[in-house]
Amino acid sequence: MNITTILNRSLLLVSFVTFALAIASEARAHCDTLDGPVIKDAQVALHSGDVTPVLKWVGPEDEPEIREAFNKTLAVRKLSATARELADRFFFETLVRVHRAGEGAPYTGLKPAGSADPAVKLADEALQTGSPEKLVKVLTEAVEESVRHRYAEAAQRKKLSDRSVEAGRQFVKAYVEYVHLVEGLHEQLKGGGHRHEAPGDDGRH
């Protein structure tokens, strides 16, 4: 496989993931899971008594709220083991709520550890290992499987589309799903579509 093929597949992979993020809120990063990066940084901050590690997850305008919540948490968690557990939970929920609001996403509560999408777990794993190869392989295969599946369904329905009005409608449904997938991928390759903004960006959605 030459470098051009690899790059083209990588672009298709990125476009598919971005397109998926744009059309499905469930596909958002696992910032609200108890083993996600936001909570991990919050645990580090509480253990060290330094709020700095979590500030990158919020915009400058939200920093005062996070600092206040952090200071209250530090004060309360000293009282007892139960108080520490409740105070930590309060801080985790405040941080995640503010972070998701900055993304334009609703806060629906903290999710259990291990509940993140497998692809997101692979994305984090790639950053930890310093190699995206496993992630690229898994998602490229997923993109290929999805396109082939939509194509096969549309092609099969097309052969039967003239048999009846209902058969024609079934073809149209399969065709629309197939074309919308391809159209979405192509739009992303041209550079359009959804962007996941960092806290504080002017283009925050």
Side-chain angles (χ1 to χ4, degrees), residues 143-162:
V143 171
E144 181 176 353
E145 180 181 354
S146 182
V147 172
R148 289 185 181 278
H149 172 74
R150 295 295 188 191
Y151 162 78
E153 181 72 13
Q156 179 61 27
R157 296 292 183 184
K158 186 176 188 297
K159 294 177 183 178
L160 306 174
S161 61
D162 292 333

Side-chain angles (χ1 to χ4, degrees), residues 9 25 54 71 87 146:
R9 283 196 172 189
S25 61
V54 304
N71 291 334
S146 182

Side-chain angles (χ1 to χ4, degrees), residues 37-178:
V38 178
I39 300 301
K40 286 182 178 179
D41 279 347
Q43 291 169 334
V44 170
L46 291 171
H47 180 74
S48 66
D50 180 7
V51 72
T52 304
V54 304
L55 295 181
K56 62 179 172 288
W57 294 106
V58 301
E61 68 280 7
D62 296 319
E63 188 174 321
E65 180 179 357
I66 296 305
R67 287 185 178 275
E68 180 181 3
F70 183 76
N71 291 334
K72 288 180 178 178
T73 299
L74 290 183
V76 172
R77 71 196 310 263
K78 298 175 182 178
L79 300 177
S80 67
T82 300
R84 181 171 62 250
E85 181 179 351
L86 292 174
D88 287 2
R89 182 80 180 193
F90 160 76
F91 182 64
F92 295 161
E93 291 182 341
T94 300
L95 178 61
V96 171
R97 173 180 56 77
V98 172
H99 167 69
R100 287 183 66 80
E103 293 183 317
Y107 173 64
T108 56
L110 297 178
K111 306 302 187 298
S115 60
D117 185 277
V120 176
K121 294 177 183 178
L122 284 175
D124 277 349
E125 181 182 314
L127 290 175
Q128 293 295 325
T129 62
S131 172
E133 295 309 313
K134 184 177 180 181
L135 174 65
V136 169
K137 181 177 184 296
V138 169
L139 290 183
T140 300
E141 290 174 353
V143 171
E144 181 176 353
E145 180 181 354
S146 182
V147 172
R148 289 185 181 278
H149 172 74
R150 295 295 188 191
Y151 162 78
E153 181 72 13
Q156 179 61 27
R157 296 292 183 184
K158 186 176 188 297
K159 294 177 183 178
L160 306 174
S161 61
D162 292 333
R163 293 190 175 184
S164 67
V165 173
E166 180 57 30
R169 287 170 178 162
Q170 291 178 0
F171 162 65
V172 170
K173 181 177 183 296
Y175 172 77
V176 168
E177 292 175 351
Y178 168 58

